[in-house]
Amino acid sequence: MTWHILGAGSLGSLWATRLARAGLSVRLILRNRQRLAAYQQAGGLTLIEAGQAQQYAIAAELPQADAPIHRLLLACKAYDAQSAVATIAERLAPGAELLLLQNGLGSQDEVAQRLPRQRCLFVSSTEGAFRPADFQVVFAGNGYNWLGDPNDPQPPAWLDELQHAGIAHQWSPDILTRLWRKLALNCAINPLSVLHDCRNGGLSEHPAEVATLCAELGELLQRCGQPAAAENLHEEVQRVILATAANYSSMHQDVAQGRRTEISYLLGYACAAAQRHQLHVPHLQHLQQRLLSHLRERGLPLA
């Protein structure tokens, strides 16, 4: 079965090239004729791994193509997920499976509610990748991909294709715990890295601020029925800060390059959840206001 991939960003390209390298059928869906022409001129996607570059001439098409889609990896930003799915909704075969590879929480439910006849699998990834140029991707850090379906604990039969492609993965019956945990990690690290304008390692100089946020986030996870996601949160945040000390967070990169952030699906989602549960989180709310002011000053979108 063909893997259709919508969103040729860093992670989408990383998945596409590894699947193609394993000899699996892959098709990219590019948003318009200009992108398709640019891709065809480039000759394919280039994967750079351990300093070695290899190009893969993966087939590409427009959203309006005729072929039905049975399996789709949606690898766009969280705020683009709904509109991206709308462009190909008519092509989805009955019972098609969608892998939703978005940061934060909220966008997955939006897509699943829009497509009640499809199976939506949620993916939480810790793999590192970035694009040095159009249609090139650098595999920057080995990580893991957890996949799960909140409505069906039964894993799909095609997981061995990921094994064959060398995509480190695990089926997770408790995928929401994984996503809540990652949301908390992102909320504790990404906004502060933007406000202090530092690499992740620079947050070691702000231990009290990090500890206070972790305490509130842990309380929020408990209130939202995710006690497992709250366990040893502060310790893991400190570990991630050290392990990724030389990296800039994804939110820092977005702000530095004048791009829209995923604040609504990260810090915004956490603050909204606290409000729903009538939980007082003054430091998280203050952090959100500081970050919104920072974005406003730079003329960037606030949602």
Side-chain angles (χ1 to χ4, degrees):
M1 191 177 291
T2 295
W3 284 83
H4 282 86
I5 296 182
L6 180 51
S10 52
L11 286 180
S13 298
L14 183 60
W15 277 61
T17 49
R18 289 180 295 177
L19 290 166
R21 181 171 64 185
L24 297 165
S25 175
V26 183
R27 294 189 78 84
L28 296 177
I29 301 173
L30 300 173
R31 63 178 176 266
N32 55 40
R33 293 190 184 282
Q34 289 86 346
R35 290 297 289 165
L36 184 58
Y39 175 75
Q40 288 166 341
Q41 191 171 0
L45 281 181
T46 298
L47 173 65
I48 303 163
E49 190 174 7
Q52 300 296 309
Q54 179 70 48
Q55 189 177 62
Y56 299 91
I58 298 166
E61 63 193 30
L62 294 172
Q64 302 88 337
D66 294 329
I69 295 170
H70 295 274
R71 188 182 304 149
L72 176 75
L73 176 69
L74 186 67
C76 60
K77 291 282 195 179
Y79 49 72
D80 281 333
Q82 269 206 91
S83 57
V85 159
T87 66
I88 51 83
E90 292 180 4
R91 294 179 56 193
L92 292 171
E97 293 170 307
L98 285 78
L99 287 78
L100 307 180
L101 188 57
Q102 277 68 52
N103 242 342
L105 279 166
S107 64
Q108 300 92 339
D109 288 334
E110 291 168 357
V111 171
Q113 286 165 14
R114 184 185 180 97
L115 300 170
R117 295 172 58 233
Q118 319 300 342
R119 187 181 190 189
C120 290
L121 306 175
F122 297 3
V123 186
S124 178
S125 179
T126 59
E127 292 191 304
F130 66 90
R131 290 184 299 159
D134 248 3
F135 308 119
Q136 295 182 11
V137 61
V138 175
F139 191 7
N142 288 323
Y144 221 76
N145 299 280
W146 285 272
L147 300 87
D149 180 348
N151 300 314
D152 183 356
Q154 196 63 29
W158 44 258
L159 285 181
D160 58 347
E161 292 188 11
L162 300 187
Q163 189 76 30
H164 186 51
I167 297 173
H169 69 281
Q170 182 178 322
W171 181 254
S172 178
D174 59 346
I175 189 63
L176 288 178
T177 297
R178 294 272 174 202
L179 288 167
W180 272 104
R181 179 74 159 193
K182 192 178 178 198
L183 176 88
L185 291 169
N186 282 333
C187 286
I189 293 172
N190 290 16
L192 287 179
S193 75
V194 171
L195 294 170
H196 292 297
D197 191 16
C198 65
R199 298 175 193 266
N200 290 351
L203 297 183
S204 299
E205 297 172 21
H206 307 277
E209 209 171 0
V210 171
T212 303
L213 289 176
C214 287
E216 287 192 354
L217 286 162
E219 206 178 335
L220 175 62
L221 292 171
Q222 294 276 3
R223 190 69 68 91
C224 291
Q226 296 293 335
E231 282 178 21
N232 303 317
L233 177 63
H234 185 215
E235 288 82 351
E236 186 167 358
V237 167
Q238 290 175 306
R239 185 188 62 75
V240 171
I241 286 171
L242 286 174
T244 63
N247 299 355
Y248 285 108
S249 74
S250 56
M251 188 178 282
H252 186 286
Q253 292 176 52
D254 286 340
V255 173
Q257 293 171 35
R259 295 192 302 241
R260 183 179 177 183
T261 71
E262 293 175 298
I263 180 173
S264 296
Y265 298 92
L266 295 167
L267 196 52
Y269 189 91
C271 288
Q275 196 169 13
R276 277 199 311 275
H277 289 279
Q278 298 181 320
L279 178 66
H280 187 47
V281 284
H283 294 91
L284 273 174
Q285 288 171 335
H286 183 54
L287 182 66
Q288 184 185 33
Q289 292 312 310
R290 286 165 62 200
L291 185 57
L292 288 171
S293 296
H294 188 84
L295 298 177
R296 193 178 293 112
E297 287 167 10
R298 280 151 188 75
L300 294 176
L302 305 183

